Amino acid sequence: MLKTQLSPDERDRRMIEARRRAEAERKERFFDEKRRTMGVDMEAIEAQKHEKEMRRLREVEEKKLTDAAMLEHDQKLLLRSFEEERVRRDEQITERDTNQCLADQKHQREVAARDHEERLNQTHIENQVTSDFLTENPCSTLKTHASTQRKAPGNYLPHHFKGFQPNQLQEILNIQAQQQQEAEDRRQQDAARDAEAARIQKAQEEALLVRHQQAIAEQREAALQYKADLRSLAQEHHERERQLNHVVYTNPVQPEFFDQFGTSSRQEGDGQPSPSALCDDECTAL
C-alpha cells in the first residue's frame, strides 16, 4: 500500500505546478540569448522532445500515484463505512435486546401488580360480605365504653348505624316542624319589617316632594316679589327724574348763557371767576 494519500485538490495543484515549471523552463531557454541558436537546433529539439517525454512520463506516474492514492483513500472510506455500519447494526441489536428486556420486565411487573390488586380486591369483597355492616349485626351498632367494655344505649357508631327508631324519627320530625315554623315566623317578621321600611321610605319621599314643591313655590314667589320691587324702584326712579326735570329744575341752562364768556382779552386767574365756576354757581343757585 502507498504511504501518501493525495486528495483531488492536491493532485490538481501538483499538476498545475508541474506545468508552470515546464513553462518557466521553456521561457528561460527561449529568452536566453546564449542558449537560443539560429536555424534548427536538433540537439535542442531532441532535448525538448526528451524533456516532453520525461514530463509526460512524470505526469503519467503522478497520475498513477494519484489514482492509487485515491483508490486507497476510497477503500479506506469504504472500510470505514462498513465498520460504521457494523457498529450501528450492533448498537441497534443491543438497543433492541435492551428494549425487549425492559419490556419483559415491565410486563412481569404489570402482571404481578395486577395479580396483587386482584387478590386485594378479592380479600376486600370477602371482608365486605362477611362484615357486620352488611350482615347488620345489631351489636356492632353501639359503641363500647373503654372502661366498662359494654355497649352504651343510644351511643351509635356512625359507620355502623342501622337507622332510627320510631320515637327517634318522630322527634326529628317535631324538630323539623319547629324549625320550619321558626323560619316562617322569621320570614313574616322580615316581610313586616320590609313593609314598614317601604312605608317609611315612601312617607319620606312624599315629604321631600312636598318640601321640594314648597321650595319651588317660595322661589317663584320670591322671583315675583323681586320683579315687583324692581318695577317699584323703576317707577320711583322715573318719578324722581320727572320731579327733578319738571319741578325742581324749571330754568335749565341755555347755550346763550355760555356765549357771554370768553369775549374779553383778560385771562382767567386775574381775580375773575371762570365760566365753569359761574356755571357751577348758577346750577347751585337753581
Side-chain angles (χ1 to χ4, degrees):
M1 297 178 64
L2 297 177
K3 300 293 184 179
T4 305
Q5 296 180 0
L6 296 178
S7 63
D9 294 337
E10 181 67 19
R11 181 185 61 187
D12 294 340
R13 188 182 64 80
R14 290 190 177 187
M15 293 175 64
I16 292 171
E17 289 180 355
R19 292 194 184 100
R20 286 178 178 176
R21 286 195 302 269
E23 183 66 20
E25 292 176 358
R26 187 184 69 79
K27 288 181 179 181
E28 183 179 359
R29 290 194 306 271
F30 182 79
F31 292 107
D32 189 0
E33 296 180 354
K34 295 181 179 179
R35 299 177 61 183
R36 189 174 64 245
T37 58
M38 297 298 294
V40 179
D41 190 352
M42 297 305 295
E43 294 182 359
I45 293 174
E46 291 295 331
Q48 290 177 0
K49 290 172 62 178
H50 179 71
E51 182 180 357
K52 183 176 181 181
E53 182 66 20
M54 293 299 295
R55 185 169 61 250
R56 187 183 65 78
L57 293 176
R58 285 197 303 270
E59 290 177 356
V60 171
E61 186 65 24
E62 288 179 357
K63 187 175 184 303
K64 290 181 179 180
L65 293 175
T66 303
D67 294 341
M70 290 297 296
L71 179 60
E72 182 181 3
H73 180 68
D74 293 340
Q75 290 177 352
K76 287 185 176 181
L77 289 178
L78 184 60
L79 292 175
R80 183 182 301 173
S81 176
F82 289 158
E83 183 65 22
E84 291 177 354
E85 181 65 23
R86 186 186 61 79
V87 172
R88 184 167 57 253
R89 187 168 55 255
D90 294 341
E91 290 177 353
Q92 291 177 353
I93 294 173
T94 303
E95 183 179 1
R96 183 184 59 194
D97 295 340
T98 303
N99 293 335
Q100 184 64 35
C101 181
L102 292 175
D104 295 339
Q105 293 177 0
K106 181 180 179 182
H107 178 69
Q108 292 176 2
R109 288 195 302 270
E110 290 177 353
V111 171
R114 187 165 55 250
D115 293 341
H116 179 67
E117 185 177 1
E118 290 178 357
R119 288 195 300 270
L120 289 178
N121 292 336
Q122 186 65 29
T123 303
H124 179 69
I125 293 172
E126 292 176 357
N127 292 334
Q128 289 292 330
V129 171
T130 59
S131 64
D132 295 334
F133 181 76
L134 293 181
T135 57
E136 296 185 355
N137 185 6
C139 297
S140 63
T141 304
L142 301 176
K143 288 184 178 179
T144 302
H145 284 290
S147 59
T148 60
Q149 296 297 323
R150 293 181 179 180
K151 301 292 183 179
N155 195 0
Y156 298 97
L157 293 171
H159 58 282
H160 277 207
F161 185 66
K162 303 302 179 182
F164 291 105
Q165 298 296 326
N167 57 344
Q168 294 175 336
L169 290 174
Q170 186 61 40
E171 183 179 359
I172 292 174
L173 294 176
N174 294 335
I175 293 174
Q176 290 178 350
Q178 182 181 357
Q179 292 176 349
Q180 292 176 358
Q181 185 62 37
E182 291 176 354
E184 181 64 21
D185 295 340
R186 286 195 300 272
R187 188 186 63 77
Q188 293 179 359
Q189 292 175 1
D190 294 339
R193 186 165 54 252
D194 294 340
E196 181 65 18
R199 186 187 64 79
I200 294 173
Q201 184 177 2
K202 184 178 180 181
Q204 292 176 352
E205 292 176 354
E206 291 177 353
L208 289 174
L209 181 60
V210 171
R211 285 199 295 271
H212 180 65
Q213 293 175 353
Q214 291 177 354
I216 293 175
E218 291 175 357
Q219 291 177 359
R220 187 182 298 110
E221 184 178 356
L224 294 175
Q225 183 64 35
Y226 179 71
K227 290 181 180 180
D229 293 341
L230 289 178
R231 284 196 298 269
S232 177
L233 290 174
Q235 291 176 359
E236 291 178 359
H237 179 73
H238 180 70
E239 183 64 26
R240 187 166 54 252
E241 289 289 333
R242 190 189 64 77
Q243 183 73 16
L244 290 174
N245 294 329
H246 296 85
V247 177
V248 178
Y249 302 111
T250 58
N251 188 16
V253 179
Q254 299 298 329
E256 291 79 5
F257 175 78
F258 298 97
D259 293 339
Q260 62 182 332
F261 303 102
T263 58
S264 174
S265 61
R266 298 178 62 183
Q267 299 295 326
E268 295 181 2
D270 294 340
Q272 297 296 329
S274 62
S276 61
L278 291 175
C279 182
D280 293 340
D281 294 339
E282 183 67 20
C283 293
T284 304
L286 293 174

